[in-house]
C-alpha cells in the first residue's frame, strides 16, 4: 500500500496532532500511530499540566523549579520559552474543547493543584 503526503506525522499525542492541525491547510497530512488514535502517551497521562495560572505562582518561580527538577539537563532558554508560552497553550486547548477538571460550583474555573517539583 502506497500513501503520498506532504507531511508525515508519527504519533497521535498532543504534539503530533497539534502539528498536524497547524499544517492541515497547507498540504496533505498523514498521521501514523501505534494501534489507534487513543494509543498515545498523552491519552494515558495522569495528573495535570504544569503551567503558571494561579495568582500565587510566577514565571520566575516556575522557571526556577523546572531548572532545579531538571538537574542540569534543561536548557534555560527552552524552559523560559515553554513556561512563558504555557498559559496561552492551555487557553488554546480549552478553545479546542479539551475538558479540564474545574472547581466544584465554579464552571469554567480550572481546578488548580501543585504538580511535582513545583513550589506553587
Amino acid at each position: 500500500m502506497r500513501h503520498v503526503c506532504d507531511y508525515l506525522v508519527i504519533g497521535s499525542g498532543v504534539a503530533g496532532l497539534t502539528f498536524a492541525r497547524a499544517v492541515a491547510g497547507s498540504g496533505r497530512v498523514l498521521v501514523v500511530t501505534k494501534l489507534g488514535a487513543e494509543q498515545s502517551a498523552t491519552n494515558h497521562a495522569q495528573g495535570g499540566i504544569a503551567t503558571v495560572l494561579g495568582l500565587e505562582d510566577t514565571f520566575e518561580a516556575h522557571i526556577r523549579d523546572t531548572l532545579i527538577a531538571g538537574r542540569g539537563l534543561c536548557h534555560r532558554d527552552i524552559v523560559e520559552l515553554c513556561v512563558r508560552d504555557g498559559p496561552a497553550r492551555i487557553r488554546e486547548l480549552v478553545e479546542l474543547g479539551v475538558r479540564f477538571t474545574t472547581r466544584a460550583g465554579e464552571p469554567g474555573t480550572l481546578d488548580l493543584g501543585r504538580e511535582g517539583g513545583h513550589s506553587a
Side-chain angles (χ1 to χ4, degrees):
M1 182 179 298
R2 181 182 171 106
H3 296 280
V4 177
C5 63
D6 298 301
Y7 301 97
L8 173 62
V9 180
I10 301 174
S12 61
V14 72
L17 294 179
T18 298
F19 177 78
R21 181 177 169 271
V23 298
S26 60
R28 294 167 294 184
V29 179
L30 177 61
V31 178
V32 178
T33 189
K34 297 175 201 80
L35 298 172
E38 70 284 351
Q39 296 299 317
S40 69
T42 299
N43 194 51
H44 293 292
Q46 295 183 25
I49 299 173
T51 193
V52 178
L53 293 176
L55 298 174
E56 68 284 349
D57 202 2
T58 66
F59 290 123
E60 291 71 27
H62 194 95
I63 290 166
R64 182 190 66 243
D65 293 342
T66 301
L67 292 171
I68 290 169
R71 305 274 189 191
L73 298 175
C74 302
H75 294 270
R76 183 179 188 89
D77 56 336
I78 301 303
V79 169
E80 289 180 5
L81 173 75
C82 291
V83 168
R84 293 186 189 284
D85 201 41
R89 298 294 66 80
I90 297 298
R91 286 191 296 275
E92 181 180 2
L93 290 171
V94 169
E95 289 170 10
L96 288 170
V98 172
R99 293 173 299 187
F100 290 101
T101 303
T102 56
R103 287 188 192 157
E106 298 181 49
T109 302
L110 296 177
D111 186 18
L112 302 180
R114 184 180 306 162
E115 287 294 304
H118 291 280
S119 56

